[in-house]
């Protein structure tokens, strides 16, 4: 299952798993995932953000980015649909941008133990049953068509469900909210190569001082530089998990002058040298 998350899959898949393979080190998501928690609880991290997933919860991570299981209970179990990036991109034009903004900000939703919550939870189970039926084995005819229709219908159903609950604001985001969302998008895209606040401020056409003000107001006082460094440290963890890469090669990939700079940075932010981290992951 690790390989399915970290490689670019070509067909949709259905899995039942405890996600234990994501515990030791983060993984780059090369596909999208829709997760339904049917037991226990876990804490998942995307680098600079963490989300709790517990029983009666569902979570959507779109393609790209990082994912790590920070902690989980012994009875943690999920049902999961994995969808290819190409399939997702093919249905994007048919869905309101406000929905994707909501998913980036709040990818996790828990169904309350009410009559309405019980009903929508059962409906989520039906979507998973359908995925299990269609994507647990090979389909010889019309698979691409079925996958596209399933994903489009699923996302539209979730969007309508959230609209009925009043959870998606279709009004325009404030300028500061939009800039904050855009900063996180840039962070996931560029943190491995670009380590300075000025780069992100220039991309957003604002001053570093204004970016500091925005991020501090939405991230409980954290600075953009702290978030850049946190995301970079997670990116390095992912690269260290590949034994084919030397520390010197990783330093070059992450735009450090040499491996000693990378080692000092990594120890400062994780408490381990790159070599010690690799030994822990064996």
């Amino acid at each position: 299952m690790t390989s399915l998350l970290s490689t670019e899959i070509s067909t949709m898949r259905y899995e039942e798993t405890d996600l234990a393979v994501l515990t030791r080190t983060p993984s780059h998501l090369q596909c999208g995932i829709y997760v339904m928690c049917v037991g226990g609880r876990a804490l998942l991290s995307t680098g600079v953000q963490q989300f709790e997933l517990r029983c009666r919860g569902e979570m959507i991570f779109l393609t790209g980015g990082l994912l790590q299981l920070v902690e989980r209970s012994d009875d943690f179990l999920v049902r999961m649909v994995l969808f290819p990036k190409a399939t997702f991109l093919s249905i994007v034009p048919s869905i309101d941008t406000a929905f994707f903004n909501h998913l980036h900000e709040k990818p996790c939703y828990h169904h309350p133990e009410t009559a309405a919550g019980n009903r929508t939870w059962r409906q989520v189970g039906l979507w998973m049953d359908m995925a299990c039926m269609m994507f647990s084995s090979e389909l010889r005819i019309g698979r691409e068509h079925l996958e596209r229709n399933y994903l489009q219908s699923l996302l539209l159903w979730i969007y309508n469900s959230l609209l009925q609950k009043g959870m998606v604001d279709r009004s325009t985001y404030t300028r500061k909210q939009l800039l904050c969302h855009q900063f996180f998008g840039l962070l996931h895209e560029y943190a491995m190569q670009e380590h300075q606040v000025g780069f992100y401020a220039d991309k957003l056409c604002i001053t570093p001082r204004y970016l500091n003000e925005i991020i501090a107001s939405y991230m409980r006082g954290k600075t953009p530089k702290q978030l850049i460094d946190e995301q970079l440290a997670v990116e390095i963890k992912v690269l260290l998990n590949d034994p084919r890469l030397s520390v010197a090669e990783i330093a070059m990939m992450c735009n450090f002058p040499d491996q000693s700079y990378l080692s000092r940075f990594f120890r400062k932010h994780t408490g381990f040298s790159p070599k010690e981290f690799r030994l822990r992951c064996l």
Side-chain angles (χ1 to χ4, degrees):
M1 201 267 291
T2 305
S3 60
L4 288 180
L5 289 173
S6 58
T7 58
E8 194 166 338
I9 60 174
S10 59
T11 59
M12 292 185 72
R13 308 291 180 89
Y14 171 83
E15 299 279 343
E16 295 182 14
T17 175
D18 60 4
L19 293 177
V21 292
L22 294 177
T23 301
R24 291 187 300 177
T25 185
S27 175
H28 274 291
L29 290 180
Q30 298 299 325
C31 60
I33 58 172
Y34 176 53
V35 178
M36 173 189 189
C37 180
V38 294
R41 64 167 294 280
L43 187 64
L44 294 116
S45 170
T46 59
V48 295
Q49 296 171 292
Q50 291 189 342
F51 304 95
E52 183 187 37
L53 181 63
R54 58 185 186 274
C55 191
R56 294 177 64 92
E58 57 180 316
M59 185 173 282
I60 302 178
F61 287 109
L62 304 179
T63 58
L66 295 163
L67 188 63
Q68 181 179 13
L69 194 65
V70 178
E71 60 183 46
R72 65 182 178 90
S73 62
D74 292 338
D75 58 344
F76 180 65
L77 183 67
V78 302
R79 304 178 71 188
M80 180 171 65
V81 179
L82 301 90
F83 49 89
K85 182 178 182 179
T87 306
F88 170 69
L89 291 177
S90 72
I91 60 96
V92 165
S94 64
I95 299 179
D96 197 332
T97 303
F99 177 51
F100 295 121
N101 289 336
H102 175 85
L103 290 184
H104 281 297
E105 186 178 358
K106 300 175 181 177
C108 188
Y109 174 73
H110 289 92
H111 297 255
E113 294 189 11
T114 62
N118 290 338
R119 182 177 66 254
T120 56
W121 181 240
R122 287 194 299 270
Q123 290 168 343
V124 171
L126 291 174
W127 282 103
M128 286 293 176
D129 289 343
M130 193 184 308
C132 179
M133 177 184 68
M134 292 193 295
F135 308 132
S136 292
S137 59
E138 294 298 323
L139 296 172
R140 295 185 178 181
I141 300 174
R143 179 164 187 137
E144 182 179 347
H145 184 69
L146 283 170
E147 289 183 358
R148 186 178 184 279
N149 283 349
Y150 174 88
L151 185 60
Q152 183 179 46
S153 299
L154 170 65
L155 293 179
L156 285 171
W157 176 79
I158 294 171
Y159 184 30
N160 277 288
S161 179
L162 292 173
L163 285 174
Q164 290 170 8
K165 298 181 180 77
M167 295 182 64
V168 178
D169 184 3
R170 300 186 72 185
S171 62
T172 305
Y173 277 75
T174 67
R175 174 170 166 73
K176 284 188 175 182
Q177 286 175 318
L178 184 59
L179 287 169
C180 187
H181 293 323
Q182 290 174 336
F183 171 72
F184 276 107
L186 292 171
L187 198 59
H188 289 298
E189 186 174 357
Y190 293 106
M192 195 165 78
Q193 284 286 320
E194 301 293 343
H195 311 162
Q196 301 305 316
V197 175
F199 170 84
Y200 299 90
D202 287 345
K203 280 283 187 181
L204 296 170
C205 300
I206 59 177
T207 66
R209 182 176 179 178
Y210 188 46
L211 180 57
N212 270 281
E213 177 187 325
I214 293 169
I215 299 305
S217 65
Y218 285 100
M219 295 300 295
R220 299 180 180 178
K222 281 195 173 184
T223 67
K225 180 57 176 170
Q226 285 175 307
L227 297 178
I228 293 166
D229 288 348
E230 287 177 16
Q231 188 68 30
L232 176 57
V234 176
E235 297 280 0
I236 295 170
K237 287 181 180 179
V238 174
L239 295 173
L240 288 170
N241 199 42
D242 186 345
R244 296 169 298 179
L245 295 174
S246 69
V247 176
E249 288 173 321
I250 293 172
M252 185 180 298
M253 293 170 67
C254 293
N255 209 15
F256 284 96
D258 56 47
Q259 70 181 65
S260 65
Y261 276 82
L262 180 145
S263 296
R264 287 197 294 272
F265 172 88
F266 193 71
R267 182 179 289 280
K268 176 182 176 182
H269 291 278
T270 68
F272 300 97
S273 70
K275 182 178 179 180
E276 290 168 343
F277 180 80
R278 276 185 155 161
L279 290 174
R280 290 177 74 245
C281 294
L282 291 177

